[in-house]
Amino acid sequence: MTDENKTNPRAPLDVVRGRNKATGVTGTTEDVDAEAAKAEIAEQIELLKEEVARLRESLGILAARSGRYAVSQVNSLREDVRAGVAANPLSALLCAAFVGYLFGLRRR
């Protein structure tokens, strides 16, 4: 039991030198791990760039659609106001005079 708990004095402690089979680079496993991490991060960055490009395209489509929707809502509101003015011209005239009066008070 005591032999299992003791560390072998000949075994390397932290760094192992070797050759990376994929790249053929001789170095420490830390170097190989760092290069693998860099490659993985570069791949993730490329994926994120592609995702951002897709999101920009989607956002452009949504903005165009919402712009058309806003224009159609304004046109609909304009038609509703015209119909209301045609139905009640005296009320429309009194409302316009009141709004003009309020703007006049604001200018003082």
Side-chain angles (χ1 to χ4, degrees):
M1 288 248 174
T2 58
D3 290 22
E4 292 175 346
N5 292 337
K6 291 183 180 179
T7 308
N8 186 353
R10 293 184 183 179
L13 295 175
D14 203 16
V15 179
V16 178
R17 296 200 180 272
R19 181 180 270 291
N20 184 350
K21 293 179 184 177
T23 61
V25 176
T26 303
T28 64
T29 55
E30 290 174 346
D31 292 341
V32 173
D33 290 342
E35 292 299 320
K38 285 181 185 178
E40 185 176 336
I41 289 171
E43 181 180 332
Q44 289 177 356
I45 288 172
E46 289 301 317
L47 290 173
L48 288 173
K49 286 180 181 179
E50 292 172 7
E51 183 74 19
V52 167
R54 283 195 304 268
L55 288 174
R56 280 185 182 169
E57 182 179 332
S58 298
L59 184 62
I61 292 169
L62 287 173
R65 287 182 183 168
S66 56
R68 284 185 293 218
Y69 178 73
V71 168
S72 69
Q73 289 296 322
V74 167
N75 289 335
S76 175
L77 180 63
R78 184 183 322 150
E79 292 301 320
D80 290 345
V81 169
R82 283 184 182 173
V85 168
N88 302 316
L90 186 59
S91 296
L93 180 64
L94 291 175
C95 286
F98 182 69
V99 169
Y101 176 73
L102 291 177
F103 277 122
L105 288 177
R106 254 327 252 170
R107 293 295 235 165
R108 286 186 184 184

